[in-house]
Amino acid sequence: MACLHDHSCEDHDCSSDWSLYKHIDLDKVSALNEATTGTVKSVFKAWEHRLNTSGEHLESNEGDPELLVFIPFTSDVKIKSISIVGGADGTSPSKMRAFINRDGIDFSDAQSMQAIQEWDLAENMQGVLEYQTRYSKFQSVGNITLHFPDNFGGDTTKIHYIGLKGEATQLKRDVVATIVYELMPNPSDHKTRAETGGGFSHVE
Amino acid sequence: MVLEATMICIDNSEWMRNGDYSPSRFQAQADAVNLICGAKTQSNPENTVGVLIMAGKGVRVLVTPTSDLGKILACMHGLEVGGEMNLAAGIQVAQLALKHRQNKKQQQRIIVFAGSPVKHEKKMLEMIGRKLKKNSVALDIVNFGEDDEEKTEKLESLLAAVNNNDTSHIVHVPAGPNALSDVLISTPIFTGDGEGGSGFAAAAAAAAAGGVSGYDFGVDPNLDPELALALRVSMEEERARQEAAAKKAAEDTSKQGGEQQAGSQEASSQDATMTERASASTSEAENKTTDLMDDENALLQQALAMSMDEPAVGHDVKDTDMSEASVDDPELALALQLSVADSTKDQASQSEVLADQSAVSDILASLPGVDLNDPSIKDLLASMQNKSELQKKNDDKSSNEEKK
């Protein structure tokens, strides 16, 4: 089995590269248009199990190949490339569009919004293809939404594995924890070092 | 306790003037809406509910999803009845309103009151249903008012298109003596999806049904929660106590049989069983008390046997009966035996015991500063033995003489 890397897989352990799945907040992963609720969580697994089609997989509803997968992370990550293993007989997705750090995207949003990057996918039955990202745009990803608008002609779209390669930083996105809103701000409440001896104190 | 944002679509078309639901279809609908809002906000404080009308001048949102019950009740006031219901547009506007909810974590749900005839095609309704399902919006349909086959069929197909894992429901409410809200209370629209219902719904259902039999102890937890809790806790305690008592009784009977067998075994084995029992973690105290009791029994029996002059009582039983330590210390055992012999037996046995040379030598050996090989000690032993023999001879002689 050939890898896209320029070495053979036996020498180098690929699975350690594809370990971003450990940083996924699995409880909050959700998908739209999945046939059975909750099956989306089964596509995030270790590299070794990517070809394991016996367990659960993500499948769209009958007659509707669109899928939308929302993936939040437990900390900010940098994503270098993405790998998708689809189903056989035309049920593999043919296009992928990604949105970064947007909550609550649904199909109408996905169709109207400009994606941060789009890829044309090939049928990747062996799980050897990876799709590189424009790394500069994927530097601090708190959550990513993947939209699969179409497939290779099958009735439904099946996805067995979504792999993410990259690095995890230990930081969380800047969530402003405490903001104090003042209804009637009074500059004298905010005395700074330069307050005594006249002059304007500027509130920072 | 599902976190949900709900949009309620009200039918305020001309058909709602009809009085077959008292006081009028529209009023019954308004009551039901109030009840639903209350139930939703109570089951989870972060739930939001919004209301829109489907008829009148056109589809119009009265209040966007909010958790403020007062706002919702206020907007129901002063609504006008008229026009024709537009079901498809109503559902689509509701979907849009839910899409722009503030808390994206809430599940989306639409509740539709379909009272007037449905003028849309079945196919169109199915398409709408599929779109709702795709965006994971649940739909509850209340089919009341006008009753014709086509309408029911269309609504059922709409539900089939939307339904994903039984999250959507349809309820048919025929005209009758029961109020619309009362019928709805017992449906999954109120009780939620298989959660067993909120307390509000359960209490309301019981009140509506007029019976109190639903509650365990004849006390409505909503009316008197402390009393219900106290009754429940005392019932649990009683049950636990009874279980413990039953368990103890079973244990005791099994223990009794075991104990008697152990009492008749040899010292070593009894020791072993005693240590085993000691190592058992539970009910050790009970074991100890039963052990003591058995020891006392054995002692009693021992005393009886001795008084009846039975020589056949074995050393082992004597040893263990006296004390736990006695087994390990043969000298002590002998001493005890001697003392026992002193109190109960006559001189003959005493001399016999003394004549038990090995035992005597053992005792002497344990004394400090005594060396068995010392000739003086040996002489002493020999003289003692002679003495006892002499004593025996004397006794025999005296008895012979007495006989004579």
Side-chain angles (χ1 to χ4, degrees), chain B residues 169-188:
Chain B
H169 318 95
I170 185 168
V171 181
H172 307 275
V173 187
N178 299 331
L180 181 61
S181 17
D182 293 339
V183 176
L184 283 181
I185 280 173
S186 53
T187 59

Side-chain angles (χ1 to χ4, degrees), chain A residues 4-39:
Chain A
L4 201 58
H5 323 138
D6 48 1
H7 57 259
S8 67
C9 255
E10 288 79 48
D11 302 332
H12 166 75
D13 182 16
C14 278
S15 69
S16 56
D17 293 337
W18 296 91
S19 58
L20 265 188
Y21 73 96
K22 294 179 191 156
H23 297 273
I24 295 178
D25 194 348
L26 263 185
D27 288 335
K28 302 210 186 101
V29 168
S30 69
L32 285 187
N33 205 28
E34 55 176 346
T36 323
T37 328
T39 49

Side-chain angles (χ1 to χ4, degrees), chain B residues 154-168:
Chain B
K154 284 178 182 173
L155 291 176
E156 290 277 3
S157 70
L158 172 60
L159 182 85
V162 178
N163 204 355
N164 181 7
N165 245 11
D166 270 342
T167 50
S168 306

Side-chain angles (χ1 to χ4, degrees), chain A residues 32-33 35 37 61 64 66 106-109, chain B residues 95 99 104-105 130 133-136 164-165:
Chain A
L32 285 187
N33 205 28
T37 328
N61 281 316
D64 196 351
E66 267 192 278
D106 73 351
F107 283 107
S108 48
D109 293 334
Chain B
Q95 190 185 356
K99 184 177 143 154
K104 301 287 180 194
K105 293 201 180 85
R130 260 175 280 141
K133 183 177 178 182
K134 192 166 165 179
N135 287 297
S136 80
N164 181 7
N165 245 11

